[in-house]
């Protein structure tokens, strides 16, 4: 038993010491662990009865409850920085029992070089990235559905561009079907 614990500790120590080298070359190094605590916005779980039919077939199919929020990088989340060239804003959104989440930004405008990544931390490969190419004349953004009951928002930008970012999350669809 002692041998297993020593081997496990060694493997953990080795994995932790090599972890920064496994990052993408496009991403700056991670900030100190003291900056890694990501605030969580807790939303109510699904309220609708998934077994109930919405009635008449002329009404749209309902798959989610709409939860109104008012989230900006100034009001929620946490900013961190590695150096004078990269700042990162992060926020996690959770809704216990949700089958999926998708987000509606009533204000969305990112300058060149800024990138918003949204993903479920339990499924990091299923991610969506948004940047200046996603800016529209109406100034809004609807994301695809993310399976699971939580998503993480990760915005990376040059600190000089922070004032040019327009990002306001207005609603979250909490999937129940």
């Amino acid at each position: 038993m002692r041998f297993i614990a020593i081997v496990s500790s060694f493997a953990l120590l080795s994995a932790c010491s090599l972890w920064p080298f496994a990052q993408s070359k496009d991403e700056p190094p991670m900030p100190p662990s003291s900056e890694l605590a990501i605030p969580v916005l807790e939303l109510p779980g699904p309220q609708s009865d998934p077994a109930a039919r919405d009635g008449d077939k002329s009404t749209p199919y309902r798959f989610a409850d709409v939860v109104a929020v008012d989230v900006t990088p100034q009001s929620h989340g946490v900013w961190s920085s590695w150096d004078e060239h990269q700042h990162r804003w992060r926020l996690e959104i959770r809704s216990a029992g949700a089958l999926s989440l998708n987000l509606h930004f009533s204000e969305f405008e990112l300058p060149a070089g800024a990138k918003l990544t949204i993903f479920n931390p339990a499924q990091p490969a299923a991610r969506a990235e948004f940047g200046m190419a996603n800016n529209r004349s109406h100034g809004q953004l609807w994301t695809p559905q993310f399976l699971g009951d939580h998503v993480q928002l990760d915005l990376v930008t040059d600190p000089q561009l922070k004032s040019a970012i327009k990002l306001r999350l207005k609603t979250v669809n909490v999937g129940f079907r």
Side-chain angles (χ1 to χ4, degrees):
M1 191 68 125
R2 175 178 264 175
F3 176 72
I4 293 172
I6 292 170
V7 170
S8 297
S9 296
F10 176 74
L12 181 60
L13 180 60
S14 296
C16 289
S17 64
L18 293 175
W19 178 75
F21 301 107
Q23 290 181 294
S24 165
K25 292 178 183 180
D26 297 337
E27 292 186 27
M30 293 298 290
S33 59
S34 62
E35 293 187 86
L36 290 178
I38 301 171
V40 176
L41 176 63
E42 292 282 351
L43 301 179
Q47 304 297 309
S48 297
D49 178 6
R53 277 321 227 164
D54 295 343
D56 135 33
K57 293 186 183 208
S58 65
T59 61
Y61 178 76
R62 288 193 60 226
F63 68 93
D65 293 324
V66 179
V67 178
V69 297
D70 190 13
V71 173
T72 68
Q74 295 76 29
S75 67
H76 292 77
V78 64
W79 282 98
S80 60
S81 62
W82 300 276
D83 58 32
E84 67 274 4
H85 303 293
Q86 291 288 314
H87 283 193
R88 175 177 268 168
W89 173 74
R90 290 176 167 177
L91 176 67
E92 187 169 330
I93 299 173
R94 289 186 192 156
S95 177
L99 298 179
S100 65
L101 298 173
N102 77 298
L103 313 176
H104 169 230
F105 292 89
S106 62
E107 294 177 27
F108 183 89
E109 187 175 334
L110 296 181
K115 178 175 74 170
L116 174 65
T117 304
I118 304 173
F119 61 98
N120 178 333
Q123 303 168 355
R127 59 191 322 117
E129 294 183 350
F130 306 95
M132 189 174 96
N134 301 102
N135 295 343
R136 300 290 181 258
S137 60
H138 52 70
Q140 299 184 51
L141 176 78
W142 287 91
T143 71
Q145 286 181 288
F146 295 90
L147 296 180
D149 64 358
H150 62 288
V151 292
Q152 183 174 314
L153 285 68
D154 192 334
L155 173 66
V156 177
T157 187
D158 183 296
Q160 296 175 343
L161 300 176
K162 281 169 69 171
S163 63
I165 292 171
K166 293 179 184 170
L167 195 63
R168 180 175 300 273
L169 178 61
K170 211 56 177 169
T171 58
V172 177
N173 288 329
V174 176
F176 57 83
R177 297 186 207 202

